[in-house]
Amino acid sequence: MPIEQSTCTVKAHKLTNRAAIMRPAAPAEQVGDAASNRATPAAGDIGWVVCCPHAFEATWNGGPDPADIDIRLAAPDDDAPAFVQSNQGGGRLTFYTGYQIQTERATSLWVRGPINRPKDGLYPLEQIVDTSLLPGTITVNWTFTRPHQTVRFEAGEPFGVLLPYPHHYTDQFELHLIRPNDAAETYEREIRQRMQAPAMQAIFQRLQQGEHGSGMKVLLIQENGRYERNRHFRECFALQAAFQRFGWQADVWGLGHPEFPNLAGATAGGSTPVDFTAYDVIFNLENYDEIGWVPSLKDVKAYKILWAIDGHFRGMAPYREVYLRDGYDMMLQSTRDFIVEEEDARVRKNSEWFPNCFNDALIYPLAIDKKYDLGFCGNVVNREPYLSYLETAFQLKRDIFVLGLDMVKAINSYKIHFNKNIANDINYRNFETLGCKTLLLTSANPHYEDLGFVDGENCLIYHNLPELRHKIQWALSHPQQRACIAAKGYQLSKLHTYTERVKSLIALLERKV
């Protein structure tokens, strides 16, 4: 079914019978060999051209006055002013179209010279005319580039182009300036993003079947994001893309996803409920099932994994209950301490450390200025005493509950990103900060070393408030060292992506499943 497109009317009111010729632009407007310039044919095919009603020649003697341009028309202009005049001085010609034009729906008119039709000795000037409220009398200005140069326009030759230009048009775009040193990283990031496209993933899955066998089928269970601006940042989607890179078939299912069934067993769209028996592995990463939507998997024969991401916040009791009730085979722990501290031997025996990580296709260095000395992006929780102190001492920039791309922009805008793990965890912000090539300043954790975090080399780690204050002062007064540490942190981040985590998990599963 064709997509309906509304039309914006452009009304051209003719003021004189000797008005310029106006017609739609066409590829035939081009000058030169189109094969040598692939952009040329498309450029001349937009807008409307206005053309000379008759030929003329003009010469500028180099003086500042309007009379210093001699205009010689090939035909008289008896009943109206001449369509080309010199009335501004400074070697400027003014072409009068003979039209008043009005546009609709907050659209202006971009008035410019003919596209890809240079004129030796004469250069067209451009302007944006707001014709949305009242009709505007349209003129096109050209300026001589050197004196004593005669220029000629033939009858029917274009002297201007009119293009509709919506108000605030450029506001829908965002410019990312790529510094020379960032070129390789930018190219790498763009390749990663393209690799995540569904069509590319399907190709990779077919190609990798020879290397990894036919892969296995994994079902990822997690509620869909509740906020539109960061929904695509959910762990389930990052894991899905990572599994697919290794030739696995990975599906996402859960509350809020299109395929999720209601309590009666039918999906909102009327499709068949999910068949849990069709999967080799079921990976449950839902950490906050407040209404009991996750079904019991007790009788499902697939290899079942439960990922405890927020045990440091919720405690291990709810995870342990689900694990034992439904007969899970593996408990993945984001917080390493909970493995040795686990009170149930069955859970402890089958627990693996699975640290948090980040999605490098969505979180990466941006070509924006790091205009804030010190920033914090996240939720307050138990951090308020630190945040209040840092606001007073270092003008900390607070970005509370900032999500999605806005979160990435915020972290990229800091010279130093302050982080405080809530308890004995190593939270997501550690890896996201490194991935943005921003200096990480984080609270101490004995397990950082095993993840490659080294104080003073690829991050800064503090143990108390005096040490925190000292390290901020040092980092702000040593910009080169600060940038070097941030760069090494960025290199470390490449070991902590979802792709790397899934790679290690697949190696583990291939020994167990």
Side-chain angles (χ1 to χ4, degrees):
M1 181 178 180
I3 299 175
E4 294 186 4
Q5 294 183 345
S6 58
T7 301
C8 178
T9 302
V10 178
K11 298 178 180 178
H13 304 275
K14 201 170 186 178
L15 302 178
T16 172
N17 292 331
R18 305 293 291 274
I21 303 165
M22 186 184 301
R23 56 181 170 77
E29 306 295 340
Q30 300 312 309
V31 175
D33 180 12
S36 65
N37 183 355
R38 295 179 182 270
T40 298
D45 199 14
I46 56 177
W48 300 272
V49 295
V50 282
C51 307
C52 299
H54 42 255
F56 77 94
E57 290 183 348
T59 307
W60 177 46
N61 64 18
D65 299 325
D68 291 321
I69 297 179
D70 178 31
I71 302 174
R72 300 173 295 281
L73 296 169
D77 219 4
D78 298 330
D79 61 346
F83 82 95
V84 58
Q85 300 180 29
S86 172
N87 52 26
Q88 299 185 53
R92 183 170 296 183
L93 282 176
T94 299
F95 290 76
Y96 290 85
T97 64
Y99 294 91
Q100 277 194 338
I101 295 181
Q102 184 166 19
T103 49
E104 293 182 343
R105 283 192 250 128
T107 301
S108 295
L109 210 60
W110 181 3
V111 182
R112 55 160 297 155
I115 299 173
N116 296 329
R117 292 186 68 102
K119 182 73 71 171
D120 185 29
L122 203 62
Y123 188 82
L125 305 179
E126 304 189 21
Q127 58 180 327
I128 304 292
V129 183
D130 188 352
T131 53
S132 60
L133 296 178
L134 296 171
T137 301
I138 302 303
T139 61
V140 182
N141 294 302
W142 291 64
T143 186
F144 279 89
T145 60
R146 61 182 183 273
H148 310 299
Q149 171 74 23
T150 296
V151 296
R152 179 178 177 82
F153 282 78
E154 301 295 342
E157 181 178 346
F159 64 79
V161 174
L162 309 180
L163 301 167
Y165 191 86
H167 296 181
H168 312 298
Y169 174 68
T170 57
D171 292 350
Q172 61 186 299
F173 302 98
E174 182 174 289
L175 174 65
H176 287 179
L177 295 176
I178 308 302
R179 300 181 178 92
N181 292 339
D182 296 335
E185 296 169 4
T186 301
Y187 179 75
E188 178 185 345
R189 182 174 66 248
E190 290 178 354
I191 292 297
R192 287 198 304 266
Q193 290 174 324
R194 292 175 185 176
M195 287 172 62
Q196 285 205 327
M200 291 298 294
Q201 289 297 323
I203 293 173
F204 292 147
Q205 190 165 345
R206 291 195 299 271
L207 292 175
Q208 291 171 344
Q209 283 179 354
E211 179 181 352
H212 300 282
S214 60
M216 288 193 278
K217 293 180 64 176
V218 58
L219 179 66
L220 302 161
I221 299 177
Q222 187 182 34
E223 180 181 356
N224 205 354
R226 299 181 183 182
Y227 302 98
E228 179 66 30
R229 60 186 183 275
N230 76 327
R231 185 167 293 156
H232 55 302
F233 280 69
R234 292 290 275 173
E235 293 96 337
C236 57
F237 299 123
L239 287 167
Q240 181 185 38
F243 273 110
Q244 288 173 344
R245 289 191 191 101
F246 292 99
W248 284 45
Q249 179 181 327
D251 297 327
V252 172
W253 179 85
L255 184 66
H257 292 283
E259 300 81 5
F260 182 72
N262 58 33
L263 295 179
T267 62
S271 57
T272 305
V274 64
D275 180 10
F276 294 108
T277 64
Y279 294 92
D280 301 295
V281 176
I282 295 180
F283 193 157
N284 182 5
L285 52 151
E286 178 54 52
N287 276 237
Y288 293 94
D289 180 10
E290 298 168 346
I291 61 173
W293 64 264
V294 179
S296 173
L297 302 176
K298 181 178 180 180
D299 297 326
V300 176
K301 302 304 181 184
Y303 192 88
K304 292 169 287 191
I305 303 171
L306 181 64
W307 186 12
I309 302 172
D310 283 347
H312 66 285
F313 192 76
R314 299 186 66 200
M316 283 305 301
Y319 300 100
R320 184 183 306 112
E321 178 184 354
V322 172
Y323 183 93
L324 296 174
R325 181 195 68 200
D326 288 355
Y328 277 81
D329 301 285
M330 182 187 296
M331 173 80 81
L332 297 180
Q333 285 284 6
S334 286
T335 304
R336 194 179 199 177
D337 290 343
F338 292 146
I339 297 177
V340 296
E341 295 173 2
E342 174 55 48
E343 61 187 44
D344 191 290
R346 294 166 294 177
V347 179
R348 184 170 61 252
K349 178 183 177 181
N350 295 304
S351 292
E352 299 285 345
W353 189 27
F354 197 73
N356 293 326
C357 50
F358 79 109
N359 188 342
D360 58 339
L362 298 175
I363 301 170
Y364 46 80
L366 300 177
I368 62 177
D369 291 333
K370 293 189 179 295
K371 58 184 177 180
Y372 301 108
D373 287 347
L374 181 66
F376 170 78
C377 185
N379 295 326
V380 176
V381 197
N382 62 348
R383 304 178 176 104
E384 183 56 45
Y386 280 82
L387 298 178
S388 296
Y389 167 76
L390 294 175
E391 275 185 318
T392 301
F394 297 100
Q395 291 75 54
L396 172 81
K397 172 69 164 58
R398 282 201 195 207
D399 288 300
I400 306 301
F401 205 66
V402 174
L403 305 175
L405 179 58
D406 291 335
M407 177 266 290
V408 180
K409 292 178 180 177
I411 297 175
N412 271 275
S413 71
Y414 309 148
K415 296 173 184 174
I416 307 169
H417 190 195
F418 165 74
N419 179 60
K420 183 180 183 300
N421 298 303
I422 293 177
N424 55 346
D425 56 309
I426 297 178
N427 60 30
Y428 282 113
R429 230 23 126 236
N430 290 276
F431 308 101
E432 293 162 349
T433 303
L434 299 183
C436 288
K437 208 174 183 179
T438 293
L439 177 60
L440 171 67
L441 175 61
T442 186
S443 56
N445 185 297
H447 304 299
Y448 272 130
E449 184 177 355
D450 291 334
L451 294 175
F453 288 70
V454 180
D455 183 29
E457 180 175 325
N458 49 37
C459 65
L460 295 179
I461 299 174
Y462 65 91
H463 295 79
N464 50 52
L465 191 58
E467 187 179 13
L468 170 64
R469 180 177 61 251
H470 170 73
K471 292 196 171 183
I472 294 174
Q473 292 170 338
W474 178 87
L476 292 177
S477 61
H478 294 81
Q480 291 184 340
Q481 292 92 325
R482 181 181 70 233
C484 181
I485 295 173
K488 290 182 179 179
Y490 177 67
Q491 293 303 315
L492 174 64
S493 74
K494 297 179 181 182
L495 302 178
H496 298 291
T497 65
Y498 277 95
T499 299
E500 291 300 315
R501 291 287 186 269
V502 167
K503 181 180 179 180
S504 64
L505 180 59
I506 287 177
L508 187 62
L509 289 173
E510 286 177 345
R511 297 195 301 268
K512 291 179 176 290
V513 179

